[in-house]
Structures are given as C-alpha cells and as structure tokens.
Amino acid sequence: MIVKLITSLFRWGMLMAFQITIARHLHIGSWLLFFPYVLFILQLPFETSRFTVITLAFLTGYTVDIFYHTNGIHALACINLALARSYYINKVALREGLSQIYRPHIKEMGIVWFLQYAFLLILLHHFLIFTIEQFSFDRFWVLWFRIILSTVSTVSLIVFLQRIFTKSKSDS
C-alpha cells in the first residue's frame, strides 16, 4: 500500500512538473492546448474511494490554477472529471470484470478501452475549461473546434507518455 502511495505521489509530481514547465508552453495559438496532468486522475487505482479521488482532483486542478492564474477553472474541471471517472468505472469497468486490475492503463486495459475511457473524460474536462474560459456561445463552432483539437492532442500526448514510460513485456 505504501509503495502504491509513493508511486502515485511520484507520478503526480512528475506530471505537474511536466505540465507547468513544458506542456504549458506547448500550444498552437489558442487552438491546440495540452493538459497531460489529467493522466494522474485518470490513472488513480480502481479501489481509490470517491472522496479521495475528488480531493486529489481538486488539489491537482488547484495547483494548475495557481500556475495558470485561472481562478479555479482547472479545479472545477478536475472535480467534474473525478465524478465522471467514478461513474464510468462503476458503470463500465466494474461490470466488465476489470476490478482485478490495479489501475486504468494502456498496458493493462488495452488501447481501445483506454482510448474510449480517456477520450470521453478528457472531452468533458476540456469542454468545461474552454466553455468557462470563453463564457459565451457566440463562436460556438470555434469553441467546439478548440475543444476537439485540444482533446485529441491531450489524448495523443497521454498515449505517447504511457508508451515511453511503461516497460514492455520484453523489457522485464
């Protein structure tokens, strides 16, 4: 249990450092933004309580808000992501008999399952961030284009990060 906690804290620290120092500056105008820090929330173990997931999501989002000067937008989006994650895991993952797996990860869940899981939850996260940021539906199609592009780019970066930092079966 202690090893899992230390591993999760290390993953949080690395993702936050990456988000704040590198991903924050990776963008194409305001069209394509990367938010790989959501991977921490997505990869929390299945057995983590809902309260713990929501608390960690708030702390993660609030930390990003401090560095982005966004007044709680990321904290709100992360809390909603955590709630949607709990719902998705209870309705989909546990019904598919995936509870014996430690955490949602490409290596353990498979690429198709993980892409569905990550895309839906990240789409919700990005929808909240960009809608609150714009606070208008004047440019509805521009807003959706931005949400979709950023969602696809974030999911792609997350898949890339998982592929790079995960040992393959031949390595072990």
Side-chain angles (χ1 to χ4, degrees):
M1 182 64 179
I2 297 295
V3 173
K4 289 179 183 179
L5 177 65
I6 291 170
T7 303
S8 291
L9 288 175
F10 179 74
R11 186 179 308 115
W12 184 85
M14 294 305 292
L15 283 167
M16 294 309 290
F18 182 73
Q19 180 68 49
I20 292 164
T21 59
I22 297 170
R24 180 179 184 186
H25 303 290
L26 290 175
H27 57 84
I28 298 174
S30 66
W31 295 95
L32 192 77
L33 299 167
F34 297 92
F35 297 116
Y37 73 90
V38 298
L39 181 60
F40 172 73
I41 301 164
L42 294 175
Q43 281 193 328
L44 286 171
F46 284 125
E47 69 267 5
T48 307
S49 71
R50 179 182 279 181
F51 176 77
T52 304
V53 172
I54 291 169
T55 302
L56 291 172
F58 170 75
L59 292 174
T60 301
Y62 187 68
T63 303
V64 173
D65 283 327
I66 289 170
F67 288 96
Y68 277 63
H69 307 290
T70 48
N71 298 327
I73 292 173
H74 289 272
L76 174 72
C78 285
I79 289 170
N80 280 288
L81 173 70
L83 290 169
R85 175 195 180 272
S86 295
Y87 178 80
Y88 188 89
I89 287 173
N90 287 334
K91 296 297 179 193
V92 177
L94 297 181
R95 285 197 179 161
E96 292 176 357
L98 301 174
S99 60
Q100 72 274 10
I101 296 174
Y102 167 58
R103 65 186 167 102
H105 190 279
I106 286 177
K107 183 176 120 183
E108 296 172 4
M109 309 302 288
I111 187 79
V112 174
W113 187 94
F114 187 82
L115 284 176
Q116 290 173 343
Y117 167 74
F119 188 82
L120 286 172
L121 295 176
I122 292 171
L123 182 66
L124 169 69
H125 178 267
H126 285 27
F127 174 80
L128 289 169
I129 287 177
F130 294 127
T131 304
I132 293 169
E133 181 182 79
Q134 185 171 319
F135 203 66
S136 168
F137 287 109
D138 286 346
R139 301 180 316 155
F140 180 77
W141 295 112
V142 172
L143 174 66
W144 270 104
F145 188 65
R146 222 176 137 201
I147 291 167
I148 297 297
L149 272 179
S150 293
T151 299
V152 169
S153 64
T154 298
V155 170
S156 300
L157 181 60
I158 284 173
V159 168
F160 177 73
L161 290 172
Q162 283 194 14
R163 294 284 185 183
I164 285 184
F165 292 109
T166 301
K167 292 181 182 179
S168 65
K169 290 181 181 179
S170 62
D171 292 343
S172 30

